[in-house]
């Protein structure tokens, strides 16, 4: 199942990717990482579909990740598709090669000191961005995507981000969820501001 956030990571960092997924899930955000690929399903197709569907790409960056051709491909695809790319440093290292080219102008989220607490902060910011409301613009700026406006529009999602039968809550009010068009505009605005000349 695809989500609003695609988590890219190296197998050595699986526990941290799983923690971020759990923290996002607790905040009502649908995230995807490759542990959601059912046994027997083509993982390449599942990964590509999830990457296309998610407007936000979170890269869990470490020494191990920096040596992965698959992660470089995922990052290249996310950049090509103009996703909001959020690189998260799990170790105090700097990108080289293809990663330097793709990540040099991006705002980094550092999680190498007190990783669990920092991933909780990241999950809070990502949830604010996805859910919209008054905290979305501040979260977007902190995550490297300045110029964010209201990211919420009418949708048929329930409070956990799952599709509801009628798109309404117990009182009959329309439920709200992320507006993909607003997120796309945010991504383009962020890229225009932080892209190298």
């Amino acid at each position: 199942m695809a989500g609003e956030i695609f988590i890219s990571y190296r197998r050595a960092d699986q526990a941290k990717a799983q923690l971020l997924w759990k923290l996002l899930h607790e905040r009502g955000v649908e995230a995807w990482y490759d542990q959601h690929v059912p046994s027997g399903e083509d993982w390449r197709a599942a990964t590509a579909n999830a990457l296309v569907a998610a407007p936000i790409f979170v890269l869990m960056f470490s020494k191990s990740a920096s040596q992965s051709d698959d992660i470089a491909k995922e990052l290249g695809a996310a950049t090509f598709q103009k996703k909001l790319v959020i690189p998260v440093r799990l170790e105090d290292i700097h990108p080289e090669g293809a990663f330097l080219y793709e990540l040099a102008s991006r705002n980094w989220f550092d999680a190498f000191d007190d990783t669990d607490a920092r991933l909780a902060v990241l999950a809070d910011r990502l949830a604010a961005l996805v859910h919209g409301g008054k905290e979305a613009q501040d979260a977007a700026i902190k995550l490297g995507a300045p110029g964010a406006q209201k990211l919420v529009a009418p949708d048929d999602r329930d409070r956990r981000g799952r599709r509801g039968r009628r798109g309404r809550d117990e009182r009959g009010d329309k439920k709200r969820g992320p507006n993909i068009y607003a997120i796309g505009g945010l991504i383009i605005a962020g890229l225009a501001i932080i892209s190298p000349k």
Side-chain angles (χ1 to χ4, degrees), residues 186-197:
L186 164 68
I187 292 167
I188 292 168
L191 289 173
I193 291 171
I194 63 177
S195 65
K197 305 255 178 204

Side-chain angles (χ1 to χ4, degrees), residues 4-7 51 54-59 74-75 77-87 103 106-107 122 125-126 128-130 136-137 139-146 148 151 180 182-192 194:
E4 288 114 348
I5 296 173
F6 182 100
I7 301 172
L51 183 55
I56 301 171
F57 179 89
V58 174
L59 170 60
E74 291 172 358
L75 176 59
T79 301
F80 177 75
Q81 295 173 13
K82 303 200 182 326
K83 307 287 183 184
L84 174 57
V85 175
I86 301 172
L103 299 173
R106 305 214 187 254
N107 288 349
L122 176 62
R125 290 180 184 171
L126 289 168
L129 185 62
V130 168
Q137 186 170 1
I141 291 168
K142 288 178 180 175
L143 291 171
L151 298 177
I180 297 301
I183 291 173
L186 164 68
I187 292 167
I188 292 168
L191 289 173
I194 63 177

Side-chain angles (χ1 to χ4, degrees), residues 93 121 126:
I93 62 168
V121 170
L126 289 168

Side-chain angles (χ1 to χ4, degrees), residues 7-9 20 27 40 56-57 59 66 84 90 104 108 112 119-120 124 134 141 152 157-158 177 179 185-186 190 197:
I7 301 172
S8 179
Y9 71 101
L20 179 59
R27 289 155 177 77
I56 301 171
F57 179 89
L59 170 60
S66 72
L84 174 57
L90 300 175
W108 288 83
F112 48 82
L119 290 179
D124 287 340
K134 62 183 179 182
I141 291 168
V152 178
R157 294 176 181 260
D158 69 13
N179 180 335
L186 164 68
K197 305 255 178 204

Side-chain angles (χ1 to χ4, degrees), residues 13-77:
D13 303 316
Q14 182 174 343
K16 294 170 184 168
Q18 185 174 14
L19 174 60
L20 179 59
W21 178 87
K22 179 180 176 269
L23 292 166
L24 289 167
H25 184 72
E26 289 171 355
R27 289 155 177 77
V29 176
E30 293 292 333
W32 185 95
Y33 72 121
D34 67 0
Q35 292 302 301
H36 292 139
V37 178
S39 179
E41 187 173 330
D42 180 2
W43 67 268
R44 286 181 189 89
T47 300
N49 291 337
L51 183 55
V52 167
I56 301 171
F57 179 89
V58 174
L59 170 60
M60 309 289 279
F61 193 74
S62 66
K63 183 71 172 170
S64 180
S66 72
Q67 298 167 350
S68 171
D69 290 338
D70 286 333
I71 292 177
K73 289 176 193 174
E74 291 172 358
L75 176 59

Side-chain angles (χ1 to χ4, degrees), residues 132-191:
K134 62 183 179 182
E135 297 172 358
Q137 186 170 1
D138 184 49
I141 291 168
K142 288 178 180 175
L143 291 171
Q149 298 301 320
K150 188 175 179 185
L151 298 177
V152 178
D155 195 39
D156 63 340
R157 294 176 181 260
D158 69 13
R159 289 184 189 141
R160 294 185 189 133
R162 298 183 188 130
R163 299 247 174 233
R165 284 194 311 218
R166 293 193 178 102
R168 299 188 179 274
D169 64 17
E170 307 82 50
R171 297 182 313 231
D173 295 333
K174 276 196 153 188
K175 296 176 184 170
R176 301 176 76 73
N179 180 335
I180 297 301
Y181 298 107
I183 291 173
L186 164 68
I187 292 167
I188 292 168
L191 289 173

Side-chain angles (χ1 to χ4, degrees), residues 104-115:
S105 65
R106 305 214 187 254
N107 288 349
W108 288 83
F109 185 90
D110 289 333
F112 48 82
D113 288 329
D114 196 6
T115 302

